[in-house]
Amino acid sequence: MVKRQIPKPAEIFELMKFKKLELDPKKRRLDAALTIEDLRRIAKRRTPAAAFDYTDGAAEGEISMDRSVQAFEDIEFHPSILGDVSHVDTTTQILGGSSAMPFGIAPTGFTRLMQTEGEIAGASAAGEAGIPFTLSTLGTTSIEDVRAANPYGRNWFQLYVMRQREISYGLVERAAQAGFDSLFFTVDTPVGGARLRDVRNGFSIPPQLTPKTVLNALPRPWWWWDFLTTEKLEFASLSETGGTVGELIDSAMDPTIDFDDLATIRGMWPGKFAVKGVQTVADAKRLADLGVDAIVLSNHGGRQLDRAPVPFELLPEVAREVGDDVEIIIDTGIRNGADIVASLALGADFTLIGRAYLYGLMAGGRAGVDRTIAILREQIERTMKLLQVSTVAELEPSHVTQLSRFSRADRAAVDDVQRELG
């Protein structure tokens, strides 16, 4: 028989402690977010559908985006045993400098529309965390203001080569003068992708609002207050070039850019030079032969060509072919620190986060971006400890298996069998 007794209140309270009440509603909701998906749900509640869907959506059927996210879920980790992981070091070297963690913030357009702190929140959070921040040509904060927000950190600039080449040349010069250390020459946008959520939401230039869009926005007065009481939304780095927003967007997409443009821009830029939007092994090899400093495997977050290659699936083959000759950065689909660890294991030197950063921004401005970075940091450190590696350099392909749902290797094997069978 179990001996029973009347519980003593003092003993009960030794086993139970009530959580301290957090009176700040922003801090309370952000502290409750344990994953990037949690931040996404908060962002969706707090942001009008048109702005949220601009971030959350992708091109046409959104197949590329969904596959890119799924590819990270379709992996298996292989941990070692009996390694001392009382301390893990997440620092890494990329593009001639250091980063406290193996990820940086990707370039995003229209950022202040998501939440009015925009790039200032991203740049200052990145600087405090010791990771790089990338400003888009279509950013809503100027090159100079980003530098002021992150004066001692690493700032990178993403360049669209515009129809009016002089505009792009001017941006290159301004970024160099502001001390940006790396340039990302983007090659996957000869035209804009068909982003159907934006069309349905009337998110166009000029806006074509529907009653549904307006009704969705009305219950979010905090967003409207921020939007209407802060500086006018514009492409800040292009504000002096003239033309309407629509004309600037059209000018940014130029189907005539070629390798001569790459050579011209590269010749103008004094720092490290990366090419963003690489989606084939052949192009990776050609760029490595040209001696660029880095390539970014990216399908633009699934926002351009739908059914485009999944960067994470392309990564192992590219790493085998050019990993000794050029640094490899990867983006698209990263929602967890484990995704970053898997990318490093399979040959990436660095990663970029786009939507994950914007979900945090929409959920809570600068504090939300800080929370995004903290979540990913915790997940990276925990995954490394459970794999029993103490530094980024110890990660290797044997730590990860890509499973077969969308495996390029499996497709190649099937093709080989079919060829043998005639």
Side-chain angles (χ1 to χ4, degrees):
M1 296 291 291
V2 177
K3 183 179 179 180
R4 299 189 181 277
Q5 63 184 24
I6 296 174
K8 298 177 182 179
E11 293 176 348
I12 293 175
F13 287 115
E14 283 181 5
L15 300 173
M16 295 170 43
K17 291 186 178 180
F18 289 99
K19 185 177 180 180
K20 183 181 178 181
L21 179 63
E22 177 55 64
L23 298 179
D24 182 341
K26 179 191 287 188
K27 190 173 188 308
R28 186 166 62 244
R29 69 173 178 265
L30 292 177
D31 286 349
L34 304 180
T35 66
I36 300 303
E37 179 59 29
D38 289 342
L39 289 174
R40 178 184 176 275
R41 284 192 285 266
I42 296 169
K44 188 173 184 178
R45 290 199 305 269
R46 297 187 59 80
T47 311
F52 177 81
D53 281 350
Y54 176 76
T55 294
D56 195 59
E60 302 195 38
E62 304 189 349
I63 295 168
S64 287
M65 179 180 69
D66 292 343
R67 285 179 178 175
S68 297
V69 173
Q70 187 66 56
F72 283 111
E73 297 179 3
D74 289 343
I75 66 166
E76 182 176 84
F77 280 122
H78 306 291
S80 304
I81 62 171
L82 300 177
D84 180 359
V85 287
S86 54
H87 172 74
V88 297
D89 182 2
T90 61
T91 60
T92 192
Q93 297 293 309
I94 187 69
L95 289 170
S98 180
S99 177
M101 287 169 280
F103 69 91
I105 292 179
T108 60
F110 281 105
T111 310
R112 287 187 55 243
L113 182 68
M114 311 306 120
Q115 203 274 351
T116 54
E117 295 176 59
E119 290 92 351
I120 296 298
S124 57
E128 184 170 307
I131 64 175
F133 175 83
T134 317
L135 176 64
S136 170
T137 292
L138 299 180
T140 48
T141 302
S142 72
I143 290 168
E144 294 77 14
D145 286 346
V146 164
R147 176 63 178 177
N150 186 22
Y152 307 112
R154 301 189 65 190
N155 294 306
W156 297 344
F157 187 72
Q158 175 269 332
L159 181 73
Y160 288 120
V161 176
M162 306 182 78
R163 293 176 191 269
Q164 298 178 53
R165 296 294 193 266
E166 292 75 15
I167 295 176
S168 296
Y169 300 160
L171 293 176
V172 171
E173 293 172 357
R174 284 172 60 188
Q177 290 171 1
F180 283 51
D181 66 72
S182 299
L183 186 75
F184 284 61
F185 181 96
T186 300
V187 296
D188 59 3
T189 54
V191 296
R195 301 169 192 175
L196 302 186
R197 287 203 220 182
D198 295 345
V199 176
R200 293 177 180 126
N201 285 325
F203 193 86
S204 59
I205 306 297
Q208 303 292 322
L209 301 180
T210 66
K212 181 180 178 182
T213 304
V214 174
L215 287 172
N216 177 270
L218 288 177
R220 294 165 173 83
W222 50 82
W223 186 90
W224 284 107
W225 173 256
D226 277 348
F227 184 71
L228 296 173
T229 60
T230 54
E231 188 178 356
K232 175 186 173 183
L233 183 71
E234 62 183 0
F235 296 133
S237 294
L238 301 174
S239 60
E240 298 177 359
T241 62
T244 67
V245 171
E247 288 168 343
L248 288 171
I249 291 176
D250 182 63
S251 178
M253 310 299 177
D254 186 354
T256 71
I257 66 169
D258 56 23
F259 278 88
D260 290 338
D261 289 305
L262 187 152
T264 298
I265 298 295
R266 187 182 180 193
M268 296 176 61
W269 181 250
K272 295 292 185 178
F273 188 86
V275 177
K276 183 177 184 294
V278 179
Q279 297 179 71
T280 70
V281 176
D283 284 337
K285 292 171 70 174
R286 182 173 184 181
L287 291 166
D289 290 341
L290 289 174
V292 303
D293 297 299
I295 58 172
V296 185
L297 299 181
S298 172
N299 62 28
H300 213 105
R303 297 166 68 80
Q304 289 298 102
L305 175 66
D306 205 11
R307 299 177 176 85
V310 174
F312 182 63
E313 299 221 342
L314 190 62
L315 173 61
E317 189 176 359
V318 171
R320 284 193 297 270
E321 292 291 335
V322 302
D324 294 333
D325 304 317
V326 65
E327 291 184 314
I328 301 171
I329 302 172
I330 183 173
D331 71 15
T332 305
I334 294 172
R335 300 289 190 274
N336 192 292
D339 303 341
I340 294 170
V341 172
S343 298
L344 300 173
L346 291 181
D349 296 290
F350 202 68
T351 63
L352 294 172
I353 59 165
R355 288 186 178 89
Y357 144 60
L358 293 177
Y359 293 146
L361 179 67
M362 288 186 284
R366 162 65 196 272
V369 181
D370 288 337
R371 186 64 187 139
T372 290
I373 294 170
I375 288 170
L376 293 174
R377 178 195 293 115
E378 293 163 5
Q379 292 171 338
I380 290 169
E381 291 178 348
R382 182 168 56 250
T383 303
M384 288 176 64
K385 287 181 177 181
L386 291 172
L387 285 173
Q388 301 200 33
V389 297
S390 58
T391 68
V392 168
E394 293 176 40
L395 291 165
E396 55 187 29
S398 61
H399 286 115
V400 179
T401 295
Q402 291 173 303
L403 302 181
S404 61
R405 187 192 304 246
F406 296 123
S407 169
R408 292 171 61 84
D410 282 358
R411 287 200 296 268
V414 170
D415 290 343
D416 289 342
V417 170
Q418 290 175 337
R419 279 193 292 270
E420 289 177 6
L421 294 175

